[in-house]
Amino acid sequence: MKIRPLSIEGAWEVTPRRHGDARGLFLEWYRFDRLAEAVGRPLRLAQANLSVSARGVVRGIHFADVPPGQAKYVTCVRGAVLDVVVDVRAGSPTYGRWEAVRLDDTDRRAVYLAEGLGHGFCALTDDATLNYLCSATYNPAAEHTVHPLDPDLGIDWPAAMPLLSERDAAAPRLAEARAAGLLPGYDACRSFTEASATRPSV
């Protein structure tokens, strides 16, 4: 398993080692110990999600209040997506920057993102199926979204006419979310992750 930090602090790309023969394929798509060693703290698993999307669907950009936030470990088990991490942490050196990783059922990569980062993706195939491991349960009162087509973000979505949910289509732009006080602060996110590194895993 190879774990590579992305250009945004708090985000990593995970590439598993695949073992295949005439029978099929085996791989470890998640390793608690390897991830904790790379990112400096364990991922506490509280919820697992699965989403299925048609080609051209764009979901996101979603993030949660910190604390507690919601760290995510995302992999594509069927089809392919362009997975996007956005730094929505006010005060971050990379605030407003995004980075994309292709997740698919060939290379079997995963993306880990820490609490406070924004997440979204574009389905590149029909029935694109994502599995999410999450550090906290879903709390609608603490969940927010930034418009994925915000021109200030300039995300290069690989879809001629992205299909959005009503919620995402009505989401504020990043600057509007910041002005409304919806964005997590960079210092608060760092303090939270540093404190969580010393807490025992569950």
Side-chain angles (χ1 to χ4, degrees):
M1 179 177 284
K2 179 180 179 182
I3 304 178
R4 177 181 71 88
L6 299 180
S7 63
I8 297 171
E9 177 189 338
W12 283 262
E13 175 193 81
V14 181
T15 303
R17 183 178 178 185
R18 294 168 295 158
H19 306 275
D21 57 27
R23 299 170 300 161
L25 181 72
F26 175 84
L27 57 89
E28 295 175 341
W29 70 274
Y30 170 73
R31 277 283 301 263
F32 172 87
D33 54 342
R34 298 276 177 85
L35 184 67
E37 181 181 5
V39 308
R41 63 196 181 101
L43 172 61
R44 293 167 177 82
L45 301 183
Q47 182 171 320
N49 302 332
L50 184 145
S51 71
V52 181
S53 301
R55 184 186 182 101
V57 166
V58 169
R59 297 183 188 266
I61 301 298
H62 302 152
F63 64 95
D65 291 338
V66 179
Q70 191 182 63
K72 297 176 181 176
Y73 188 93
V74 186
T75 192
C76 183
V77 296
R78 181 178 182 183
V81 306
L82 186 73
D83 200 74
V84 176
V85 178
V86 181
D87 194 345
V88 298
R89 301 168 299 189
S92 168
T94 55
Y95 172 75
R97 184 183 300 174
W98 61 274
E99 187 165 355
V101 176
R102 180 186 170 98
L103 303 181
D104 57 39
D105 57 11
T106 301
D107 294 328
R108 306 286 183 177
R109 289 188 182 94
V111 167
Y112 169 81
L113 57 152
E115 295 88 348
L117 292 175
H119 177 255
F121 68 87
C122 177
L124 304 177
T125 62
D126 282 325
D127 296 327
T129 304
L130 289 190
N131 275 352
Y132 303 69
L133 302 179
C134 303
S135 66
T137 57
Y138 176 67
N139 177 4
E143 295 282 333
H144 307 284
T145 184
V146 166
H147 203 294
L149 307 183
D150 181 348
D152 292 336
L153 288 176
I155 299 173
D156 187 15
W157 297 110
M161 296 182 64
L163 180 59
L164 310 180
S165 70
E166 290 183 7
R167 176 188 177 216
D168 291 345
R173 292 168 58 164
L174 184 64
E176 294 170 335
R178 184 171 189 173
L182 298 176
L183 302 182
Y186 177 66
D187 290 339
C189 291
R190 291 198 70 184
S191 297
F192 180 80
T193 57
E194 288 169 4
S196 69
T198 64
R199 293 198 296 266
S201 60
V202 292

